[in-house]
Amino acid sequence: MDNLTSPRVVKSILDKHGFHFTKSLGQNFLIDDNILKKIVEAANLSKDDRVLEIGPGIGTLTRELGTLAHKVVAVEIDQRLIPILKETLAGFDNVSVIQGDILKIDLVELVHNSFDGKPFKVVANLPYYITTPIIMGILERGLPFESITVLIQKEVAQRMVASPGSKEYGALSVAVQYYTIPRSVAKVPASVFMPPPKVDSMIVTMERRKEPPVFVEDRKLFFDVVHASFAKRRKTLLNNLISAKEILEGWTRQEIEELLWECGIDPQRRGETLNVEEFASISNSILYKKKSKL
C-alpha cells in the first residue's frame, strides 16, 4: 500500500490523475506520519466507533480511520478527488465517500442514513476558510456526536480553548465551551502540508458535554446576547447591549444598566471578561423581565 504521507508518492498520484490544487477550496494535504498519528490518538478510536470525516483529500487520514474504526463516512466537495479516493481507499469496505458540500448537506439525514442515528465521532483536517461554520453546524444541530477532533488553523484553535479575559476569547469560545470541553493537543507547522499554508495549525479535540455547563432558559437568546456582547470589542458591555436593538428593543439605558447590576455584573466591563455563567445570567434575566412586562 502506498505511503500517502510521502511527498513523492502524493505527487505521483496527483500527476497520474492530472490533479491541481484549488486555492479557493483550502486544499492542503497532510504529508507527515507523526502528525497523522497524533490526530488519531487524540480521537481515541475503537473498533466500535463510527466516524465522520470532512474533506478527506486523497485519503491519507481516511485510511488510518478505516483501519481503526468500525465505519467511516467521508464527505468530499471536490469531484476531481473522487476517482483518486476510489483508488487509495480500495479494500476498505468499511469506508464510504460522499461527494458534496458539508455546509449544504442535511447532516441530520446523513447521520440517520449512515450511522442509523447512533453516536459518532468527527475527525478531520478541515479547510481553514470554513472551519467555524462547519464546527458550529455540527454543534448547533443537536447531532449525537461524541467528540470532534480536528486539525485547524492555530488562531481559530486558540479562540476555541481561550479563557475569559484573553484577547482570543470571543463568541466562538463561548459556543464551543457551552457544547463541549475543548483542549489543544499539538501545534502543527505549515511544513507538514502539501502545499504549505501561510499559517501554522493546531490539533484540537472537543469532547461533547453530557449537559451544558449552565442552565439557559432560551438558547437562541443566550447566543444573541453573547454575539451582541462581542459586537464591538472596545465598547463596554452596557453600550454593546444598548446597540442590540433586536434583543432589547424599547429598553432604556437605565433598565439595561439595572439588569446588569442585578446579575452582579458591572455594566462597564467588556464582553471578553464575562464567563459562560454570566452570559447565562444576563439572558435568563432578560427573558424573565420580558415575561414580567407582558
Side-chain angles (χ1 to χ4, degrees), residues 88-113:
T88 60
L89 298 175
F92 284 89
D93 297 333
N94 62 332
V95 176
S96 58
V97 177
I98 296 172
Q99 197 272 315
D101 184 344
I102 194 68
L103 296 178
K104 294 178 181 176
I105 285 174
D106 185 333
L107 287 177
V108 175
E109 186 179 338
L110 184 149
V111 170
H112 175 76
N113 292 341

Side-chain angles (χ1 to χ4, degrees), residues 163-179:
S163 301
S166 64
K167 69 179 192 312
E168 292 86 8
Y169 186 71
L172 180 63
S173 318
V174 177
V176 167
Q177 292 168 34
Y178 176 83
Y179 291 106

Side-chain angles (χ1 to χ4, degrees), residues 14 18 68 87 97 105 131 141 170 189 196 211 249 268:
L14 299 183
L68 297 167
E87 180 182 315
V97 177
I105 285 174
T131 294
R141 278 176 175 78
E211 293 289 337
E249 187 178 358
Q268 296 307 305

